[in-house]
């Protein structure tokens, strides 16, 4: 692991459009949660990054539009799930940053209930409840992502990163739901 703070080394959604680089950086963030917490979300995001191949289209939106005429809309489904995963993490970290008094598991529980719960079966909801409780303490998570850097720097970088991610998930959600391709 790098000796630099996490948000100084990872590609930021504030600096790049939605790309594999920024999404892969987000996937690595799950590793910092430790002990396989939300491994199911991390695995889903990884798979959806790989399956959302926009190389044949200039944008992810054009990929979805091109699939609208096809029987197989695999890329569209992957983009919907990728957007849900990005939204889940974005909201959890926004809760964390907006309310410094609450522990991480509460932030992830709120985000899960807002974003992913409506799309999961009872069985998956049960697994998610266990995963949420396994989230590290807030101070431990901050120590992992700051890697010794001052927390003021971390908060500023995290705010910038989340702002960029928020713009992207809102744009994708607006496109997907607004044009009738699915629900986030």
């Amino acid at each position: 692991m790098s000796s630099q703070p996490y948000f100084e080394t990872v590609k930021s959604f504030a600096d790049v459009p939605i790309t594999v680089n920024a999404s892969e950086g987000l996937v690595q963030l799950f590793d910092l949660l430790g002990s396989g917490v939300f491994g199911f979300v991390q695995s889903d995001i990884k798979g959806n990054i790989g399956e959302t191949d926009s190389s044949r289209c200039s944008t992810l939106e054009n990929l979805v539009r091109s699939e609208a005429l096809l029987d197989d809309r695999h890329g569209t489904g992957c983009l919907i799930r990728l957007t849900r995963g990005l939204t889940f993490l974005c909201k959890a970290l926004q809760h964390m940053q907006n309310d410094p008094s609450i522990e991480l598991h509460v932030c992830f529980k709120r985000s899960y209930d807002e974003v992913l719960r409506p799309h999961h079966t009872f069985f998956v909801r049960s697994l998610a409840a266990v995963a949420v409780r396994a989230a590290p303490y807030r101070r431990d998570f901050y120590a992992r992502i700051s890697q010794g850097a001052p927390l003021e720097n971390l908060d500023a970088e995290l705010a910038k990163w989340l702002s960029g991610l928020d713009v992207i998930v809102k744009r994708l959600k607006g496109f997907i739901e607004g044009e009738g391709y699915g629900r986030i």
Side-chain angles (χ1 to χ4, degrees), residues 85-100:
L86 295 174
T87 304
F88 165 72
L89 187 60
C90 182
K91 286 187 177 286
L93 295 177
Q94 285 172 333
H95 289 309
M96 180 185 81
Q97 202 165 44
N98 293 337
D99 190 349

Side-chain angles (χ1 to χ4, degrees), residues 46-177:
K46 277 183 186 177
N48 290 321
I49 289 169
E51 296 294 326
T52 309
D53 177 18
S54 63
S55 62
R56 57 192 162 136
C57 297
S58 59
T59 67
L60 292 170
E61 289 90 341
N62 287 340
L63 170 70
V64 172
R65 287 184 187 112
S66 72
E67 284 190 349
L69 306 172
L70 305 174
D71 289 333
D72 179 20
R73 297 184 182 142
H74 184 70
T76 301
C78 288
L79 181 61
I80 289 169
R81 290 186 304 276
L82 175 60
T83 304
R84 286 177 187 158
L86 295 174
T87 304
F88 165 72
L89 187 60
C90 182
K91 286 187 177 286
L93 295 177
Q94 285 172 333
H95 289 309
M96 180 185 81
Q97 202 165 44
N98 293 337
D99 190 349
S101 67
I102 60 174
E103 281 298 334
L104 217 52
H105 71 90
V106 175
C107 301
F108 279 97
K109 171 76 167 92
R110 287 179 184 170
S111 180
Y112 177 80
D113 289 345
E114 292 171 29
V115 180
L116 298 177
R117 189 174 198 277
H119 306 286
H120 288 162
T121 63
F122 174 76
F123 179 73
V124 174
R125 288 177 190 163
S126 300
L127 294 174
V130 172
V132 164
R133 295 300 302 172
Y137 289 110
R138 178 187 197 94
R139 69 179 179 278
D140 295 339
F141 179 65
Y142 264 74
R144 288 177 193 159
I145 60 177
S146 70
Q147 299 175 329
L151 291 182
E152 300 79 38
N153 295 357
L154 170 67
D155 281 334
E157 285 298 313
L158 178 59
K160 178 181 164 189
W161 194 82
L162 284 173
S163 175
L165 178 56
D166 191 51
V167 166
I168 289 168
V169 296
K170 284 179 179 173
R171 186 189 88 222
L172 287 172
K173 180 180 179 184
F175 166 74
I176 290 167
E177 291 181 348

